[in-house]
């Protein structure tokens, strides 16, 4: 029923300006009946971050920035939803237009700039939740914060009771200087203060760091080293890219902002594999960037992801993308002869780590 309605609505939504279509989708989700989803294949279940996931596929940050519809999104079939990025105070974000569709490239470019309702409004919504599905809260600093790290620390204190884990977003390209927090010294101080705050609140929640796909190997090494030595629990690899692969066809690719979707897949998957090989199991890795079907989802797992997130393919394909991916992952488990999807994690990390940024390793679907 929901899928049929969504299939009917999509041609209409795709004719609206992208931000209006997004607002319409959130409004529709508020009224969506919560029919129970069919139980996924038990072989797709995962234990990670001290939690039991019915399957690895979640929704990435940015779709439900203000925690308006997390339970409707869980009811569509995602095993977890990340809300945010939230900042302590509400802020309007960048001037519109700031979100662009690149249909020929199965991609989006956005320069939203952390438009959101602020911690207080989101916390009120999360506290009123009736269900307990897995939900992470992604936060970042206000644009004009005088102490950016203090904004992250406040996020930990604010959302301890409401979040299954915290995601520290230091990789959005649309807040000037934010990605400087990925540098070794700044990151060391940020993670130390966030972990100190996390240890002081109950319940104790995992802390994940969301990184950019544009890091070089040295930058990645620094992040893995700081994350493991300071007690972070995992990485989300990755956010959108500021690079523009030469394969892009849509003229809107020249818009300033972060590129997501299909063209992001090679770089984000290579970085994920490199993080897997460097972290040696010490960090949970969430693979994100260009997942659009079961082949790309499986590739992320083989590159080293324990969990997956997507955004852009949900915009283009709607909720069907969830069923398609889960069916394909079940088939992949059967074909491989493995007991579960968990045993495929990292199985091809070396191939994916060695791939050139635009090329593809052997077996790249
Ligand atoms: C319109 C839009 C808004 C986004 N907003 C956020 C955000 O607020 N915080 C964040 O961490 N990532 C944000 N992202 C990045 C996504 O969470 C994800 O990392 C990225 O889009 C790559 O995944 P995809 O290729 O499946 O879209 C946003 C992406 C898009 C397209």
């Amino acid at each position: 029923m929901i899928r049929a309605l969504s299939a009917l609505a999509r041609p209409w939504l795709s004719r609206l300006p992208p931000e209006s279509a997004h607002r319409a989708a959130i409004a529709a989700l508020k009224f969506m009946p919560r029919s129970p989803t069919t139980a996924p294949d038990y072989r797709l279940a995962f234990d990670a971050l001290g939690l039991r996931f019915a399957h690895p596929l979640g929704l990435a940050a940015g779709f439900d920035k203000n925690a308006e519809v997390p339970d409707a999104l869980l009811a569509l079939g995602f095993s977890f939803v990340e809300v945010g990025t939230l900042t302590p105070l509400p802020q309007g974000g960048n001037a519109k237009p700031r979100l662009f569709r690149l249909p020929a490239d199965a991609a989006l470019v956005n320069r939203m700039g952390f438009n959101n309702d602020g911690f207080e409004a989101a916390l009120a919504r999360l506290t009123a939740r009736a269900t307990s599905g897995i939900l992470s809260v992604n936060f970042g600093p206000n644009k004009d914060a005088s102490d950016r790290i203090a904004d992250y620390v406040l996020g930990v204190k604010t959302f301890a009771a409401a979040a299954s884990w915290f995601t520290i977003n230091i990789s959005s390209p649309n807040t000037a200087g934010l990605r400087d927090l990925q540098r070794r010294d700044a990151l060391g101080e940020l993670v130390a203060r966030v972990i100190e705050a996390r240890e002081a609140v109950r319940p104790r929640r995992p802390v994940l760091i969301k990184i950019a796909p544009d890091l070089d190997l040295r930058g990645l090494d620094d992040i893995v080293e700081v994350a493991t030595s300071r007690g972070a629990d995992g990485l989300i690899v990755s956010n959108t890219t500021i690079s523009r692969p030469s394969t892009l066809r849509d003229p809107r690719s020249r818009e300033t902002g972060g590129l997501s979707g299909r063209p992001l897949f090679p770089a984000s998957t290579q970085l994920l594999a490199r993080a897997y090989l460097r972290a040696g199991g010490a960090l949970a890795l969430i693979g994100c960037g260009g997942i659009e079907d079961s082949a790309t989802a499986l590739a992320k797992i083989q590159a080293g992801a324990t969990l997956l997130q997507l955004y852009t393919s949900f915009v283009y394909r709607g909720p069907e993308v969830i069923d398609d991916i889960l069916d394909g992952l079940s088939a992949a488990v059967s074909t491989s002869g493995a007991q579960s999807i968990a045993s495929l994690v990292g199985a091809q990390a070396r191939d994916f780590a060695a791939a050139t940024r635009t090329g593809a390793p052997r077996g790249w679907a």
Side-chain angles (χ1 to χ4, degrees):
M1 161 82 163
I2 299 303
R3 275 143 182 76
L5 284 176
S6 128
L8 281 175
R10 208 148 336 102
W12 173 74
L13 286 176
S14 68
R15 277 197 290 275
L16 290 177
E19 248 192 272
S20 310
H22 181 244
R23 272 200 309 278
I26 296 276
L29 283 163
K30 285 186 184 169
F31 296 104
M32 194 187 83
R34 306 283 152 82
S35 50
T37 49
T38 47
D41 180 349
Y42 68 92
R43 298 172 306 164
L44 301 185
F46 248 92
D47 291 314
L49 300 167
L51 298 160
R52 178 86 171 155
F53 294 81
H55 61 74
L57 186 60
L59 181 64
F63 187 86
D64 190 10
K65 281 184 191 276
N66 294 310
E68 293 176 274
V69 288
D71 295 306
L73 291 161
L74 289 166
L76 287 180
F78 289 112
S79 68
F80 64 103
V81 168
E82 184 154 311
V83 302
T85 294
L86 290 155
T87 56
L89 300 174
Q91 61 181 32
N94 292 324
K96 295 178 187 171
R98 53 194 178 178
L99 174 58
F100 305 90
R101 291 190 193 100
L102 286 58
D105 300 308
L108 298 170
V109 168
N110 91 83
R111 51 170 179 266
M112 306 300 285
F114 289 172
N115 56 307
N116 78 104
D117 294 349
F119 283 179
E120 216 173 287
L123 180 66
R125 290 184 192 119
L126 293 178
T127 309
R129 277 178 84 204
T131 55
S132 58
I134 300 175
L135 177 142
S136 50
V137 179
N138 173 314
F139 39 80
N142 276 115
K143 187 178 164 188
D144 52 2
S146 56
D147 178 358
R148 289 186 157 175
I149 295 181
D151 283 6
Y152 290 97
V153 168
L154 186 62
V156 172
K157 293 180 179 162
T158 305
F159 293 106
S164 305
W165 74 80
F166 310 116
T167 296
I168 304 303
N169 181 7
I170 50 171
S171 48
S172 166
N174 304 311
T175 294
L178 187 78
R179 288 172 303 150
D180 293 346
L181 286 170
Q182 295 181 127
R183 295 209 194 112
R184 191 184 181 89
D185 289 352
L187 185 66
E189 191 193 341
L190 168 65
V191 179
R193 281 174 62 187
V194 163
I195 295 295
E196 186 187 16
R198 182 273 297 273
E199 297 302 329
V201 296
R202 288 290 171 272
R204 187 178 186 279
R205 302 294 192 191
V207 169
L208 275 71
I209 304 167
K210 185 164 178 179
I211 65 175
D214 308 308
L215 289 164
D216 59 19
L217 272 186
R218 172 93 192 274
L220 177 67
D221 278 344
D222 285 349
I223 288 175
V224 169
E225 202 278 314
V226 168
T228 47
S229 65
R230 302 272 186 182
D233 300 272
L235 303 177
I236 301 183
V237 190
S238 72
N239 214 312
T240 56
T241 179
I242 52 168
S243 77
R244 295 292 185 268
S246 57
T247 50
L248 291 171
R249 287 185 285 165
D250 196 303
R252 275 161 294 202
S253 65
R254 286 195 284 275
E255 291 287 348
T256 300
L259 174 73
S260 60
R262 189 177 295 165
L264 175 58
F265 180 79
S268 61
T269 308
Q270 183 182 45
L271 194 70
L272 169 70
R274 289 175 164 179
Y276 177 81
L277 295 173
R278 277 165 171 71
L283 297 170
L285 298 175
I286 300 186
C288 181
I291 296 175
E292 58 173 308
D293 54 20
S294 60
T296 44
L298 180 63
K300 292 278 187 198
I301 291 170
Q302 292 169 326
T306 41
L307 294 167
L308 308 170
Q309 288 180 329
L310 57 77
Y311 184 147
T312 302
S313 61
F314 185 57
V315 170
Y316 283 109
R317 297 192 57 198
E320 288 83 356
V321 73
I322 307 170
D323 304 337
D324 180 22
I325 288 174
L326 297 185
D327 289 348
L329 290 181
S330 287
V333 174
S334 301
T335 311
S336 71
Q339 298 289 317
S340 71
I341 194 83
S343 55
L344 301 179
V345 172
Q348 287 186 27
R350 289 196 186 283
D351 283 349
F352 284 106
T356 60
R357 288 246 147 180
T358 47
R362 262 176 301 114
W364 191 295

